[in-house]
Amino acid sequence: MLAIFKKELSSYFNSTLGYIILALYLLFSGFFFWMICFNGGTNAVVNVINYMLYVVFFLVPLITMKSFAEEKRQHTDQALFTAPVGLWEIVLGKYLSALTLYVMCNMVFIFYALVLMAVTGASVAWGQLLGALFGIILLGAALLSMNLLFSSLTEHQIIAAVVGIAAGLVIMLYDSIVAAVENFINTLFGGQYEAVVIDKLSVTAHYENFISGVLSPVDFVFFLSFIAFFLFLTNRVLDRKRWA
Amino acid sequence: MVEVKNLVKSYGNIDAVKNISFTANVGEVLGFLGPNGAGKSTTMNIIAGYLSATSGTVTIDGYDIVDDAIEAKKRIGYLPELPPVYQDMTVKKYLNFMYELKKVTLPREEHLAEIMKLCGIDAIADRVIRNLSKGYRQRVGVAQALVGNPPVIILDEPTVGLDPKQIIEMRALIKNLGKKHAVIFSSHVLSEVSAVCDRIVVISQGQIAADEATDKIAYMKSNEMRLLLTVEGNSASVISAISAVDGVTKVRRGDRQSDEICDYSVEYKKDTDIRRGVFRALAKAGCPILQMRDAGMSLEEMFLTLTTPTYQDKGGKN
């Protein structure tokens, strides 16, 4: 697993992809930081993270789009799958390297907080900031696992990225979609129906708790299950290919 | 070392591999011969554990490729049809990655240096694979298969894309590997297979058409025993002289090359050798033999006979 992890991580920085992702992350977060903290004159770095949550949905698919798609296209997957390593090692190696790059991106918020303290002398609410940081990392970790699955389903990284962004939009607008469906059904049948279970699957609802500084085990378990579920599916997709 | 038993691979209704069984041992180069689309690559992918079989088993040194995948894969070095190289790595970095991926415990520096030397890529160790020619990439692919010194080496068409000099080097390398490893190597180039392999498995339409030692295979399918002669002299007396030889069943005159020189085709009974008799008879008749050769099938003819379906087969399929 370590070999794959190392190879993946270094391949982000041997190609332009790693730098592009880092640059985009810095660009967007830097813009929000300037808007909120300097132009807006507040010390709420947390709000920068709040805005970045929307950008994450579009950036995360770029991190994993190559993971399996490119291996398949270059036929290098044949070396991976005939090496004496388990499928889980390959999946986890790829996942953890993508996650590492993503966490690296997010370290920038700590830097922003330090800059703010140094430049304006304002105090920063570290507890809230770390909670939000934890939330955005968990959200990204969840999206990464889902996008890793998309990458394993295709040979074309662009398709993986586009599908990932589309799925990200659905997740982002999940609450509105559920509400709209609720509304539609209620006007259609003239009742007072309310969604059960389905509304609990909202990813956004779960990370909003982190952002507001509430660390509840429920949200934690939700994200971990989400990640485990998609990594499991990725593993199955890769294994299925052998049996098809 | 490698034991393949009743391998079947179906894609929907199409059987890519139909019931293939063979074994390969250490100290042997096994040639896997067949036309394009015969199921060579599929079979090799199954042996290496990249694909799984619909039914049948592959065991490497007693380890099943599905049930004991990791132990079995430790013993295999595999070069697929297209070398599985990472374009953005240098040769050295790539081999180091394969070394780590395969969890090899041999001393790293020495082992990799030895492999690079063996494959003739030590001079390009620091070059990025993207910039290498097809021939060098192929060699890097072979080098990758050798990392960890596995007892079984599977090479899928390793000489494709190489220039003639490289082909000769590659053949020498494969032959050399065959001394200490079990090498399974596929090709559709007949001369190559006969030059390198101790044993040939001919595969056609997903089935084994022949599994024989290289020197025997050319003769196994020839029912016809025929001698081709070019003789100088009056054709009537040549024919009568040859017909009188023991074992000859039929003499036919072929093309006339000049007034006096003519080709003859002589058929004879199986398990007899009429060459000396023909020589003596024609010497006695005063007709010099200018050329004599056995028409036992060449490897090419054998290959075509084994792999071209008969009309009946075609009718049955449609």
Side-chain angles (χ1 to χ4, degrees):
Chain A
M1 189 182 90
L2 199 63
I4 294 169
F5 174 77
K6 271 166 61 186
K7 183 223 109 192
E8 283 294 302
L9 201 57
S10 72
S11 93
Y12 280 125
F13 295 105
N14 279 341
S15 66
T16 44
L17 184 67
Y19 296 104
I20 289 175
I21 290 164
L22 273 178
L24 284 174
Y25 211 85
L26 291 182
L27 181 75
F28 282 105
S29 61
F31 175 72
F32 294 139
F33 178 54
W34 175 74
M35 283 289 285
I36 293 164
C37 296
F38 284 91
N39 238 15
T42 69
N43 61 351
V45 182
V46 170
N47 285 344
V48 180
I49 295 183
N50 268 337
Y51 278 99
M52 277 311 281
L53 284 169
Y54 296 99
V55 177
V56 162
F57 283 98
F58 297 95
L59 278 183
V60 159
L62 301 185
I63 300 181
T64 51
M65 64 180 182
K66 271 171 97 171
S67 294
F68 286 107
E70 192 66 6
E71 298 266 4
K72 228 180 297 172
R73 208 176 63 80
Q74 303 277 358
H75 299 274
T76 43
D77 59 333
Q78 286 190 306
L80 289 186
F81 297 140
T82 58
V85 290
L87 213 46
W88 270 116
E89 295 183 56
I90 299 172
V91 173
L92 284 180
K94 296 247 176 201
Y95 178 69
L96 291 179
S97 66
L99 188 60
T100 305
L101 178 67
Y102 179 72
V103 170
M104 278 166 70
C105 289
N106 281 297
M107 286 304 113
V108 73
F109 297 118
I110 291 180
F111 174 72
Y112 289 152
L114 293 176
V115 167
L116 195 69
M117 282 169 75
V119 174
T120 66
S123 66
V124 170
W126 282 103
Q128 203 190 7
L129 176 66
L130 290 180
L133 195 60
F134 200 59
I136 197 171
I137 287 175
L138 267 183
L139 171 71
L143 292 174
L144 281 172
S145 69
M146 182 181 78
N147 280 289
L148 199 66
L149 172 71
F150 296 146
S151 185
S152 74
L153 285 168
T154 172
E155 278 185 33
H156 305 282
Q157 34 176 321
I158 300 298
I159 293 180
V162 169
V163 172
I165 290 171
L169 280 174
V170 171
I171 290 178
M172 206 156 100
L173 304 172
Y174 190 82
D175 289 336
S176 319
I177 294 171
V178 171
V181 171
E182 244 172 39
N183 236 330
F184 179 71
I185 290 174
N186 284 338
T187 43
L188 205 64
F189 299 108
Q192 279 294 313
Y193 298 98
E194 224 178 281
V196 285
V197 182
I198 286 181
D199 61 335
K200 298 287 183 295
L201 294 177
S202 164
V203 175
T204 45
H206 285 281
Y207 75 63
E208 268 158 14
N209 285 340
F210 284 103
I211 302 302
S212 54
V214 182
L215 296 176
S216 102
V218 176
D219 305 316
F220 204 65
V221 168
F222 174 82
F223 279 111
L224 288 185
S225 330
F226 189 97
I227 294 166
F229 175 70
F230 279 102
L231 291 184
F232 173 74
L233 281 188
T234 308
N235 182 306
R236 291 296 88 200
V237 164
L238 295 172
D239 198 40
R240 187 216 61 162
K241 209 190 140 231
R242 298 172 52 211
W243 297 92
Chain B
M1 199 67 188
V2 181
E3 207 177 338
V4 178
K5 253 192 213 154
N6 306 326
L7 215 58
V8 175
K9 178 74 180 174
S10 314
Y11 294 101
N13 290 328
I14 302 160
D15 291 336
V17 173
K18 306 168 201 164
N19 207 13
I20 280 185
S21 305
F22 65 88
T23 56
N25 303 308
V26 169
E28 181 178 55
V29 181
L30 181 75
F32 219 55
L33 189 64
N36 292 325
K40 291 187 305 252
S41 293
T42 308
T43 308
M44 295 188 129
N45 272 331
I46 293 171
I47 298 174
Y50 180 65
L51 293 176
S52 59
T54 307
S55 69
T57 57
V58 174
T59 49
I60 314 288
D61 202 12
Y63 294 102
D64 189 279
I65 193 71
V66 177
D67 298 332
D68 285 316
I70 291 188
E71 282 302 314
K73 284 173 180 174
K74 263 184 199 165
R75 290 162 172 79
I76 303 176
Y78 179 41
L79 168 70
E81 210 169 351
L82 294 164
V85 292
Y86 291 98
Q87 306 282 341
D88 53 4
M89 288 189 188
T90 64
V91 172
K92 208 170 190 172
K93 222 173 173 183
Y94 173 64
L95 291 179
N96 268 296
F97 166 63
M98 289 309 292
Y99 178 96
E100 285 172 25
L101 182 69
K102 294 187 182 184
K103 297 170 186 156
V104 181
T105 47
L106 299 164
R108 185 195 290 241
E109 292 294 322
E110 290 165 48
H111 181 55
L112 294 184
E114 190 193 331
I115 288 172
M116 285 196 278
K117 200 162 171 243
L118 200 64
C119 298
I121 50 172
D122 39 356
I124 53 154
D126 292 316
R127 283 181 57 187
V128 177
I129 295 176
R130 185 193 307 283
N131 302 328
L132 295 180
S133 68
K134 169 89 176 115
Y136 272 124
R137 269 183 223 184
Q138 195 76 28
R139 292 205 232 178
V140 174
V142 175
Q144 160 273 128
L146 300 182
V147 170
N149 206 9
V152 177
I153 290 170
I154 303 173
L155 306 170
D156 196 352
E157 307 204 342
T159 55
V160 167
L162 302 185
D163 67 37
K165 185 171 163 276
Q166 291 170 336
I167 287 179
I168 291 169
E169 285 168 6
M170 181 66 77
R171 286 180 192 168
L173 175 66
I174 292 169
K175 241 186 153 153
N176 212 2
L177 287 173
K179 288 176 191 160
K180 286 184 194 155
H181 302 79
V183 181
I184 301 177
F185 135 83
S186 84
S187 179
H188 54 245
V189 183
L190 298 152
S191 55
E192 179 167 285
V193 171
S194 61
V196 172
C197 302
D198 307 304
R199 226 175 86 221
I200 298 180
V201 171
V202 180
I203 173 168
S204 167
Q205 298 190 316
Q207 281 170 312
I208 288 189
D211 179 352
E212 284 286 337
T214 308
D215 47 347
K216 281 189 196 149
I217 201 159
Y219 295 98
M220 55 167 289
K221 273 273 169 171
S222 59
N223 297 314
E224 193 184 17
M225 311 302 281
R226 214 148 47 93
L227 204 62
L228 299 174
L229 291 165
T230 308
V231 185
E232 187 178 343
N234 178 281
S235 29
S237 56
V238 169
I239 289 172
S240 69
I242 298 174
S243 303
V245 175
D246 230 20
V248 172
T249 54
K250 199 174 173 189
V251 183
R252 269 187 308 159
R253 210 181 71 188
D255 296 334
R256 181 179 289 277
Q257 294 187 352
S258 72
D259 286 349
E260 287 292 287
I261 300 171
C262 195
D263 290 342
Y264 300 89
S265 154
V266 182
E267 285 173 30
Y268 58 95
K269 283 182 205 146
K270 221 171 173 167
D271 303 324
T272 55
D273 191 347
I274 60 162
R275 288 173 299 180
R276 290 168 192 82
V278 168
F279 167 74
R280 288 197 193 97
L282 288 172
K284 212 170 169 188
C287 303
I289 299 172
L290 302 181
Q291 197 185 341
M292 168 157 43
R293 69 183 173 91
D294 198 88
M297 270 195 289
S298 68
L299 209 54
E300 271 81 4
E301 286 174 295
M302 179 278 302
F303 183 64
L304 285 174
T305 323
L306 288 171
T307 58
T308 311
T310 63
Y311 286 111
Q312 271 179 337
D313 282 344
K314 271 185 184 164
K317 271 213 156 167
N318 296 331

